[in-house]
Amino acid sequence: MPRPSVIETGELQVILDDIADRVAGMSERGKVAQYIPELASVDLNQFGIAVAPIDGAPVSAGNANTLFSIQSISKVFSLTEALQHVGATLWQRVGREPSGDPFNSIVQLEHERGIPRNPFINPGAIVVADVLLEDRSSDEAVNDVLNLCRTLAEDASIQVDKAVADSEMRTGSRNRALAHFMKAEGNLKAPVEDVLSLYFRQCSIAMSCRQLAVAGRYLAAAGQNPADASTVLSAQRARRVTALMMMCGSYDASGEFAFRVGLPAKSGVGGGILCIVPGIAAVTAWSPGLDAKGNSHLASIAFQELVRATGWSVFGPSV
Ligand code: DON
């Protein structure tokens, strides 16, 4: 099978401009997430896309420098940290299978005795947050996740959006139910409110397409941060994180995303999608309107267009 190939900056810019132009004219834009009040007021008419090659400067189009709530995309960075801290023992507490259920589903968790299917659904990320609290307070752990994002994005200005975090803290009854159930089953060690304080704040980190694409490059570069060749994760672990993104990163639409796009992806209800093109680049597209499964409607279309134009699907180029 032919491998994805590098595309020269000028050509990439033309492709991204063309995608941004095309989505700007689309009238169906999805709906902003309603269940987090602070996200419900985000302007639907925004779209950005940024490609961060592992060995070149980022290329972008549209609102690529606008900050948005990274939400579940933060689960990639918290998983990375948990693997750095506890390695493979993490997998005793969280699985590695797609759930086929919505990201906040309760029913599966009861059947499976409080062991979440994977680290990218809400209960899985809540367990990962608990792992990060084994030797730290939630304030320290939030700072660690933030600092990982800042280092990888090469941007010290990245912050938690406090209004979004407060909004989630006030309205997160469903996540509280998931956390208390796992506590009852013995799969949560720290107090529920400490774990949720970390989880809600990591989800509320605000980043732009450009920052997120740069931050995701280590997963395209066998676990090494291309900025300084430091090892973020071993090559094997980076490969496994991207495998989980392919199988579980778009919730119960992961199969559909693999079918249409063919790239490991992690999406968030803020409307962002981070995709990894192994050996080539990390890419983020963002538009706040979501489809029925909670994935950005226009960002999903943008990725379909991108792989059509670049041949970057890991399953081979479009013909
Ligand atoms: O906990 C929540 O529901 C949100 N903070 C994150 C949801 C999201 O982005 C999709 N989750 N996998």
Side-chain angles (χ1 to χ4, degrees), residues 98-169:
S99 72
D101 277 324
F103 56 81
N104 54 7
S105 169
I106 292 173
V107 63
Q108 194 171 56
L109 199 60
E110 179 164 18
H111 275 300
E112 299 182 0
R113 311 299 307 249
I115 308 286
R117 275 282 174 103
N118 67 67
F120 292 151
I121 51 174
N122 290 8
I126 290 169
V127 168
V128 170
D130 187 53
V131 165
L132 295 181
L133 291 183
E134 270 174 19
D135 54 358
R136 283 164 295 173
S137 68
S138 39
D139 286 354
E140 287 166 333
V142 171
N143 272 328
D144 288 347
V145 178
L146 254 182
N147 283 333
L148 179 65
C149 292
R150 289 170 176 156
T151 304
L152 292 172
E154 301 182 277
D155 193 331
S157 71
I158 294 167
Q159 296 289 352
V160 171
D161 182 330
K162 197 171 170 315
V164 176
D166 291 348
S167 186
E168 291 207 56
M169 200 71 182

Side-chain angles (χ1 to χ4, degrees), residues 160-213:
V160 171
D161 182 330
K162 197 171 170 315
V164 176
D166 291 348
S167 186
E168 291 207 56
M169 200 71 182
R170 273 196 315 276
T171 58
S173 301
R174 212 175 163 96
N175 284 321
R176 278 195 176 86
L178 291 164
H180 279 288
F181 182 74
M182 291 191 291
K183 186 85 176 165
E185 290 289 337
N187 197 18
L188 221 59
K189 295 180 184 162
V192 164
E193 288 305 317
D194 290 0
V195 182
L196 291 177
S197 164
L198 165 58
Y199 171 72
F200 290 139
R201 284 187 284 169
Q202 72 171 67
C203 287
S204 305
I205 292 173
M207 290 171 77
S208 67
C209 288
R210 214 175 163 92
Q211 289 168 334
L212 254 181

Side-chain angles (χ1 to χ4, degrees), residues 3-7 51-56 217 220-221 276-282 312:
R3 297 174 69 81
S5 55
V6 174
I7 297 185
V51 176
I54 60 178
D55 52 6
R217 290 179 306 170
I276 305 303
V277 190
I280 306 283
W312 278 353

